[in-house]
Amino acid sequence: MTGRVVEKGTNLPLPGVNVLIKGSKAGTSTDQSGNFSITLNKEQEVLSFSFLGFTSQEVVAKAGSTVNIILGDVTNSLDEVVVVAYGTSKKRDITGAVSQINADQLQNRQVSNITKALQGLAPGIQAVSSSGQPGTSATLRIRGVGSINASAAPLYVVDGNPFSGDLSSINSSDIESVSILKDAASSALYGSRGANGVIIITTKAGKRNDQTEITANFSQGVSKRAVKDYEQVTTDEYFQNYWLAVKNKQKASNPTYTDLQAGQAASEQIITDLGINPYGSKYPLPVGPDGKLVAGATPLWDDNWGDAMEQTAIRTQADLSFSGGNEKSQYFISGGYLNDKGIALGSGYKRYSARVNLTTKAKKWLTAGLNISAANTLQDYPISEDSNTGNVVNYSRLVPSFYPVYERNPDGSYKTDAKGNRVYDFGAYRPSSAIPRSNLAATVDLDKSEILKDNVSARTFLEATIIPELKFKTTYSADFANINNHNYTNPVLGDGAETKGSVSKSNSRTYSWTWNNILTYEKTFNEDHHLNLLAGQEIYKYNYRIISGSRERFVLPGLYEPDAASQLNDFGGSALDYTLLSFLGRAEYDYKKKYLLSASLRTDGSSRFAPATRWGTFWSLGASWKLSEEDFLKDNSWLSTLTLRTSYGAQGNDNIGTYYAYEGLYTIQNNLGENGLVTSRLPTPDLKWETNLNFNLGLDFGILNDRISGTVEYFDRRSRDLLFSRPKAPSTGFGSIDANIGALKNTGIEVQINATPIRTADFRWNISLNATHYKNEITALPQEDIKTTTKIMRKGGSVYDFFLKEWAGVDPETGNPLWYKQDANGNKVTTNIYADAIQYVQDSALPDLTGGISNTFSYKEFELSALFAYSIGGKILDNDYLSLMHNGSSTGRTWSKEILNHWTPENKYTNVPRLTTDNLGWTQASTRFLYSATYARLKNLTLGYSLPKTLASKWGLNNLKLTLTGENLFTFYGHDGMDPEQTVDGTTYYRYPAMRTFSAGLSLTF
């Protein structure tokens, strides 16, 4: 067999293209003109042609034949086949706004949940990983925040049908592509659940190559903090500064004291206050009356509680898959193992997963398919997201280093038990601010906080060809999740000792299914007119059940189940159901592939609403015009693609958070042995659908044979009849009632640019960048404004505007903290009384610009890829920092290094008040702790080496690749100690930080 390899669009030969004959040990390459000649081992062979930076191509070749292989440019994203609602389409042939992420962009990501791999890869999507705990999800928002009280999360669709399972159960190695549907034209066919955008996950399938391809991947890595924690003062700094705080208090309490007298009193008091002397008995007063350490005083220990609360975090992942098929049947079978230990003691995530995807052409007119996946996960999830003193992340911010992790002898050596083991120090002597009678490093491994999940998902379909133009497809999908939560506190050490231990356990079961029936009609008339019609029906049902209980007072340690505890505390359980019935249709028409029109209509009936308001009808219209196909541009040598798109439509939202949104609900309570009913929710029979109206205008372009290509889009997304909790007067006994009130809009611009600046026979550089800017604005409210402790919603503002007292600095004469208030004339003046200060509207937590930049450099068999994600603008209120910034009133609590810049008569112009054991209230919420949320993060850096195919084929391999990967390698931000990826609403809450992971991997395909 002979042939020639050329580049798409130029017909230029490509020298040195590697040719691999599947199933054969022979291999060859083209000559400098792109010509090749191959002797086949059989009458018919499957040949795979690939070249650095171009799409590969497979052909079925016969002996004696001649073929021309045309390799397309991988940067030509408009030629990609993307997954859309209920089908697929070429990206250049759609009228809606769709971004696609392929498997190559996901394969090197060291994440346990697919949502964390999407950040920075596509415009229009904001991904915030507020918790680094392995197995947790990122919060995703598509084109802004589309609701206030109802859900603003996108709909997830897996292999064609909505997915209600656990996203962390999906092995990213099984994913073929991820499509993000962002406007009405692309997502309105999903009706009510697509109001906040749709994320379609498509898993891998077998190929028609008559061969079985086996792929094995293994990676091993280690993780640590991506961002160092807040820097704390040393023991010496702590004692000298606490001495000053005590001295200042002594002077204030005893005006007749001289500096020397106040200093002497402070020297004598600090050891009593702190409960410990880390300098030893030789220095009973380690800080002299002058505030300096006495000569020779050196701490006998310096225990880093941050190190004590962390563990060696090993990450291991192994995947094995088999795929193949022929013209009749295709299959993909995989199994995966992941063990992702967390950096915090007692945390980690373990997953076993399996998947079978089958498709067969049972008859000439009938195709059947079955996708089944199962996963068993165990998540060790100690407290890591609240202010509880048992928080494994926050504990090291509560106890300073001069309080030892293990008990010490007077000379500083470790105390040991009869077996020679070190004895944990529970610090009964510590003051209340330093968490006495506790040692989380000792108890976290004795306690349990486990989440055990079993997930099973199935998708099956039958597609019948009635006539060549008309097809009928029926699909049934089901998602099952069984979740067991087990929380145990040991009866021997720590907080559980007083109650002799406690245990709580819950089991929840979720089962949902979707059945849809779709008719499609597709026909081309007179070669120029193409019509595609779709009509169908869909029903979705969801059932959730939970049972829970707790006990305490264990007989013996080491027994974890409720039966081992004697005292029953509580027991409860509930169940709920939700049903959605839908009818849908879509029409698409194009003329000469230049002018495209689309329209869709869907009607949903939701069980959340009363019968009179149950049904909502949603629609979209879309159009696109391929200007580059017009005669006045067609022969342009530099412009290869130019398409104008626009769409408008309406979608609904019923996800208000309760499954009985129109009914009055009651809580049943015990009243002296008699049943009692307490109203928990007022009935709202008039409640109806929240509606999103979406307008999109997009321009796709390609220059120089699409070596530079991209998309620019403008969107205007308006939400009305918001499902909103209207505040009620406290005298009614209810804080709020659900109603359709208020409106908001999100307007913005998205940009995606792909380019290949350098392309030679051996070297290639691809770059892709995306950026999204949007403004969120409330356009209507039922009242002038709605205020919470730190936020305000008002017309013209965003849903996450901060509302805080404004910091005015430190009084240079007194060292007191200052805030702003208004005088009788409405002018801003300062006050040192926090209660008198006025709250003012501040900036929003929402960023001005988000996006990512990815680069891929390829040289022969080497490849280096880097992904940067960034967020510019927005604010974060850092409440975590407050406990480290006390002015001396929290005796024994850790101190930030910033406290060293406190006010003194010699250091008047500072932003840190004077030190004193009085509480000056300066760490209360104000703009003092409102920081910029701007950051950039090197999300992924991967270096790969692929064994030359000619050498790999001699070993019976199609591919052998070695990789070195780093995840979250560098973070650039302005506020040291805080992880900049917090919640979308911009507040911290003692959360698990992001992890930096280094891994080495091996991938084999044969």
Side-chain angles (χ1 to χ4, degrees), residues 630-643:
E630 297 290 353
D631 292 339
F632 58 86
L633 288 176
K634 194 170 185 178
D635 296 328
N636 192 301
S637 60
W638 61 272
L639 182 65
S640 46
T641 301
L642 188 64
T643 301

Side-chain angles (χ1 to χ4, degrees), residues 120-444:
L121 291 178
I125 181 169
Q126 181 184 2
V128 180
S129 300
S130 58
S131 174
Q133 162 73 41
T136 56
S137 299
T139 300
L140 301 185
R141 295 292 180 264
I142 295 176
R143 291 188 166 180
V145 182
S147 187
I148 295 178
N149 288 132
S151 173
L155 168 69
Y156 293 93
V157 174
V158 176
D159 290 335
N161 273 1
F163 179 74
S164 300
D166 180 15
L167 288 167
S168 63
S169 68
I170 301 175
N171 186 348
S172 59
S173 297
D174 292 343
I175 295 175
E176 181 67 28
S177 68
V178 177
S179 291
I180 303 168
L181 314 186
K182 297 178 284 188
D183 71 333
S186 62
S187 62
L189 211 57
Y190 287 110
S192 60
R193 289 183 291 175
N196 294 302
V198 181
I199 295 178
I200 302 178
I201 299 172
T202 303
T203 59
K204 294 178 179 178
K207 298 179 180 179
R208 299 177 175 89
N209 55 13
D210 288 319
Q211 300 289 333
T212 296
E213 182 175 271
I214 304 174
T215 301
N217 300 311
F218 178 81
S219 66
Q220 183 81 58
V222 62
S223 302
K224 60 180 182 179
R225 272 180 172 268
V227 173
K228 289 184 178 180
D229 205 4
Y230 306 100
E231 190 176 4
Q232 300 178 15
V233 299
T234 65
T235 297
D236 289 349
E237 291 167 339
Y238 195 106
F239 270 70
Q240 291 175 94
N241 281 276
Y242 184 70
W243 172 91
L244 181 58
V246 174
K247 179 198 170 187
N248 288 340
K249 173 62 176 176
Q250 289 283 353
K251 286 272 289 183
S253 301
N254 304 282
T256 61
Y257 269 16
T258 64
D259 273 356
L260 183 63
Q261 289 174 317
Q264 182 64 40
S267 297
E268 295 171 355
Q269 183 179 333
I270 58 175
I271 298 300
T272 302
D273 285 359
L274 297 175
I276 195 169
N277 184 359
Y279 297 92
S281 57
K282 289 178 60 178
Y283 305 96
L285 300 178
V287 182
D290 59 355
K292 297 180 181 180
L293 290 172
V294 300
T298 302
L300 299 177
W301 60 82
D302 184 27
D303 288 1
N304 189 317
W305 283 88
D307 291 343
M309 293 307 302
E310 293 184 4
Q311 63 185 359
T312 302
I314 301 298
R315 187 184 194 278
T316 304
Q317 184 168 358
D319 302 302
L320 180 65
S321 67
F322 301 81
S323 66
N326 51 36
E327 290 298 320
K328 184 177 180 180
S329 301
Q330 301 84 46
Y331 59 89
F332 175 82
I333 303 171
S334 73
Y337 168 77
L338 173 65
N339 190 355
D340 195 0
K341 296 290 288 185
I343 57 172
L345 283 183
S347 68
Y349 182 76
K350 188 178 291 185
R351 179 182 67 209
Y352 300 89
S353 62
R355 178 175 296 276
V356 177
N357 293 350
L358 303 173
T359 304
T360 185
K361 199 169 185 63
K363 297 291 182 181
K364 186 177 181 180
W365 53 272
L366 182 65
T367 302
L370 175 64
N371 291 10
I372 298 178
S373 66
N376 171 267
T377 64
L378 177 62
Q379 188 174 31
D380 293 314
Y381 205 143
I383 298 171
S384 58
E385 293 191 29
D386 64 23
S387 57
N388 190 301
T389 56
N391 186 323
V392 293
V393 173
N394 195 51
Y395 194 83
S396 62
R397 301 171 185 165
L398 305 177
V399 186
S401 59
F402 54 82
Y403 293 119
V405 176
Y406 299 95
E407 290 186 10
R408 302 281 184 155
N409 292 310
D411 62 357
S413 61
Y414 291 107
K415 287 185 178 180
T416 58
D417 59 17
K419 296 181 179 180
N421 298 315
R422 295 177 184 176
V423 179
Y424 281 104
D425 191 327
F426 282 80
Y429 53 84
R430 297 198 295 253
S432 60
S433 295
I435 323 300
R437 295 171 296 281
S438 75
N439 188 319
L440 203 55
T443 60
V444 69

Side-chain angles (χ1 to χ4, degrees), residues 833-851:
I833 301 174
Y834 181 82
D836 292 344
I838 302 297
Q839 286 180 278
Y840 295 92
V841 178
Q842 308 296 333
D843 291 337
S844 172
L846 298 175
D848 298 318
L849 192 70
T850 60

Side-chain angles (χ1 to χ4, degrees), residues 6 47-51 54-59 68-72:
V6 298
L47 304 184
S48 176
F49 297 81
S50 63
F51 180 62
F54 291 82
T55 58
S56 60
Q57 184 177 348
E58 291 185 350
V59 298
N68 283 327
I69 305 301
I70 302 176
L71 299 182

